[in-house]
Amino acid sequence: MPDWDNSVAAVTAFAAIVALGTSVLQMRQSNKQHLFDKRLASWERVNGLLELFAAHRKQLLDEEDGQPDFAIDLEFKWLTNNTFLEQIQTSIIKPLDPQEQRELHLKLDEIRQTAIEFGFLFKGKQFTTVFRFVSLYRDLLFEMYQYKILTDHMTEYAQKFNWTLEKAQDTLHEKVRYKQLKDTVRQMDDCRVLMQQNNLLKKISDTIKL
C-alpha cells in the first residue's frame, strides 16, 4: 500500500516550496518596481532643473560689464518656474520676509536632498556630474537670493547717503558677490556640457528601465 502520510508530506513540502518561490519572485518584482518608481521620480525632478537651466543659460552667462545685475529677481524666477520650485518664486521679491525666508530654506534643503537621493539611486562615477549640477543649482538660487538683498541695500544706501553707484558697489563688495554668482553659473554649464559629451541622459534612461 502507498505510504499516504509520506505522500501528503511530500506534496505539502512541494507546495510550500512553490509558495516560497512565488513569494520571493513577487518580492523581487515589487522591489524592482519600487526602485523604478524612485528612480523615475528622482530623474523627473532633476531633468526639470536641467531644462530650466538650458532654457536660460545664455542669458545667465552674459556679463553685465561692471554694472550690478538689477534683473536678478527675473533670473531667479526663470530658474524656479516649474511645479517643484514655484513655491519660492516670491521669496526674491521680499527676501527679508521671515515666512519667505523659511519657505526658501526649506526648498533649498529639498534640492540638497534631491541631489543626495539621486546619488543613492544612480550608482557610479559617471553620474557624479548630475549630483554636482543639482548641488550647484541649489547654491546658485541661494547666491541669487543673497545678491538681491545686496542690490536692495545698494539702492537704499545710495539714496540715504547720496552715494554714487560705484561707491555703493565698492562699499558693499558687489563685484565680489557678482563674480561668485557667475562662477557658479559657469560651473553648472560645464556640468551640462559634460553630461552631453558622456551621453548621460541615455545612460540614465537605460538605468531606470526595469
Side-chain angles (χ1 to χ4, degrees):
M1 291 182 63
D3 189 340
W4 291 109
D5 288 341
N6 288 339
S7 297
V8 170
V11 170
T12 301
F14 179 75
I17 292 171
V18 170
L20 178 61
T22 301
S23 177
V24 169
L25 288 174
Q26 289 175 341
M27 186 180 298
R28 286 179 179 173
Q29 187 61 34
S30 176
N31 289 341
K32 283 184 178 181
Q33 184 64 48
H34 180 68
L35 181 59
F36 171 83
D37 292 341
K38 293 283 286 183
R39 281 175 171 170
L40 182 60
S42 177
W43 172 235
E44 285 177 344
R45 181 171 289 184
V46 170
N47 193 45
L49 303 183
L50 284 165
E51 288 178 347
L52 285 176
F53 181 78
H56 303 290
R57 54 174 291 276
K58 289 183 180 179
Q59 297 95 320
L60 292 169
L61 287 166
D62 283 344
E63 299 284 349
E64 291 295 327
D65 196 23
Q67 298 298 309
D69 185 1
F70 288 111
I72 196 68
D73 52 347
L74 175 62
E75 295 162 8
F76 184 91
K77 289 179 180 179
W78 289 343
L79 293 180
T80 54
N81 189 28
N82 68 11
T83 54
F84 174 44
L85 300 175
E86 63 182 356
Q87 302 97 318
I88 60 170
Q89 282 203 325
T90 56
S91 63
I92 201 74
I93 300 172
K94 298 188 240 180
L96 296 179
D97 180 84
Q99 184 59 32
E100 296 289 354
Q101 288 180 333
R102 181 177 182 277
E103 292 295 330
L104 176 70
H105 285 292
L106 287 173
K107 186 59 67 174
L108 293 177
D109 286 344
E110 198 172 347
I111 297 172
R112 181 186 287 112
Q113 285 300 117
T114 296
I116 294 170
E117 182 180 59
F118 186 91
F120 279 117
L121 293 172
F122 295 86
K123 302 292 187 182
K125 291 183 179 179
Q126 59 184 339
F127 297 127
T128 56
T129 305
V130 182
F131 172 88
R132 177 163 172 73
F133 174 85
V134 177
S135 299
L136 287 168
Y137 204 105
R138 182 260 175 210
D139 294 344
L140 180 60
L141 291 180
F142 189 54
E143 288 166 11
M144 286 178 155
Y145 166 79
Q146 291 178 313
Y147 187 84
K148 172 62 174 173
I149 295 174
L150 184 147
T151 55
D152 285 351
H153 284 161
M154 283 175 54
T155 302
E156 177 189 349
Y157 295 163
Q159 293 173 351
K160 184 176 181 179
F161 302 114
N162 198 27
W163 287 351
T164 64
L165 179 60
E166 291 75 16
K167 170 72 172 176
Q169 284 181 283
D170 292 342
T171 303
L172 297 177
H173 309 290
E174 178 273 335
K175 292 181 180 179
V176 174
R177 301 292 287 275
Y178 180 78
K179 181 181 181 300
Q180 178 184 359
L181 192 153
K182 288 298 178 180
D183 284 346
T184 301
V185 173
R186 282 188 285 271
Q187 290 177 59
M188 292 172 68
D189 201 51
D190 290 343
C191 289
R192 183 192 63 84
V193 171
L194 275 175
M195 281 185 255
Q196 287 184 338
Q197 290 176 344
N198 295 323
N199 201 21
L200 276 188
L201 301 190
K202 183 180 184 306
K203 291 176 181 178
I204 289 169
S205 178
D206 291 342
T207 303
I208 290 174
K209 292 176 183 177
L210 285 171

